[in-house]
Amino acid sequence: MTSDPSSAPWRATVLALFPEMFPGPLGISLAGKALASGLWALEARDIRASATDKHRSVDDTPAGGGPGMVLRADVLGAAIDAADAQDRPRLVMSPRGRPLTQARVAELAAGPGPLIVCGRFEGIDQRVIDARGLEEVSIGDYVLSGGEIAAMTLIDACVRLLPGVMGKLASGTDESFSDGLLEYPQYTRPQVFEGSPIPDVLISGDHAKVAKWRLAEAEALTAARRPDLWAARPKAPESGRKRKPPKITTGE
């Protein structure tokens, strides 16, 4: 499934050896509805279409020896050029890239949409990364079989921030990482589940107390589970010292 990229304000162009994997999960739920309604567009292009030999070869053995195969610079370079993405971010999904953050997602969502290269094998020739100005992006410290699933993750994170995709704007601003913190715990009916009630403060009707509780819980969870994020938090203005996180009150 490939939508018309010329009519949408935000578009993602994906270069892959398995373009048939798209849209995959991007074709259902909120992202799929937005794709069908033209709020964004997806173009999945086959890297093999730029191969020049009769076997449509895209890879070769690593220079210097070693296991596996490497995606050729000439083939991938031609595929990038054929995609005509001169004025758009050019990304390549790679476990050695900079970690994808919510801030970077917001930047990409605010632009025209990226071109995303999905690697395979042992990687891609460094020369095409340099020559085409590809930004290496990682979605985590692990290795996948290819970049297609990682590209879907990035695209999904961007699409949900596009105007008109989510029903309530607050849904995209009041969540994990939006202010450098993990999201506070959420509750809904029933009021008591297996003997565990909803915290009293959340049904008190006191919005100020609810906001204070949510901030405290978000800070405690962030400090406990993501000390890197907590260390990056600004100092408390009244003391000039790092905020001391409260104790987590929710179940672990």
Side-chain angles (χ1 to χ4, degrees), residues 98-154:
R98 291 183 178 178
L100 182 65
T101 65
Q102 190 66 19
R104 184 62 180 130
V105 165
E107 291 175 353
L108 292 169
L115 176 144
I116 307 174
V117 174
C118 302
R120 279 271 162 177
F121 316 124
E122 289 300 309
I124 67 177
D125 192 306
Q126 181 65 40
R127 292 172 295 178
V128 74
I129 296 176
D130 298 336
R132 296 300 184 270
L134 301 181
E135 173 190 344
E136 296 185 73
V137 179
S138 170
I139 63 166
D141 295 337
Y142 45 86
V143 179
L144 300 173
S145 298
E148 292 87 354
I149 294 175
M152 292 177 190
T153 299
L154 185 150

Side-chain angles (χ1 to χ4, degrees), residues 17-185:
L17 291 179
F18 299 98
E20 62 271 22
M21 293 178 67
F22 293 86
L26 298 172
I28 60 175
S29 190
L30 290 178
K33 291 178 181 179
L35 182 63
S37 63
L39 293 177
W40 71 286
L42 173 65
E43 180 185 21
R45 301 174 64 97
D46 190 350
I47 294 173
R48 291 189 187 277
S50 296
T52 57
D53 66 343
K54 65 179 181 180
H55 300 294
R56 302 181 74 199
S57 302
V58 297
D59 60 333
D60 211 327
T61 55
M69 304 291 280
V70 176
L71 197 58
R72 292 172 52 132
D74 55 346
V75 175
L76 183 54
I80 294 171
D81 295 343
D84 190 21
Q86 292 292 332
D87 299 321
R88 298 163 58 199
R90 297 179 176 189
L91 316 177
V92 57
M93 309 310 299
S94 169
R96 75 178 193 182
R98 291 183 178 178
L100 182 65
T101 65
Q102 190 66 19
R104 184 62 180 130
V105 165
E107 291 175 353
L108 292 169
L115 176 144
I116 307 174
V117 174
C118 302
R120 279 271 162 177
F121 316 124
E122 289 300 309
I124 67 177
D125 192 306
Q126 181 65 40
R127 292 172 295 178
V128 74
I129 296 176
D130 298 336
R132 296 300 184 270
L134 301 181
E135 173 190 344
E136 296 185 73
V137 179
S138 170
I139 63 166
D141 295 337
Y142 45 86
V143 179
L144 300 173
S145 298
E148 292 87 354
I149 294 175
M152 292 177 190
T153 299
L154 185 150
I155 293 171
D156 182 81
C158 291
V159 166
R160 61 191 302 276
L161 297 184
L162 300 178
V165 174
M166 290 194 293
K168 293 183 178 179
L169 182 60
S171 297
T173 58
D174 190 17
E175 58 188 4
S176 288
F177 311 114
S178 59
D179 58 358
L181 294 171
L182 300 182
E183 189 176 14
Y184 48 80

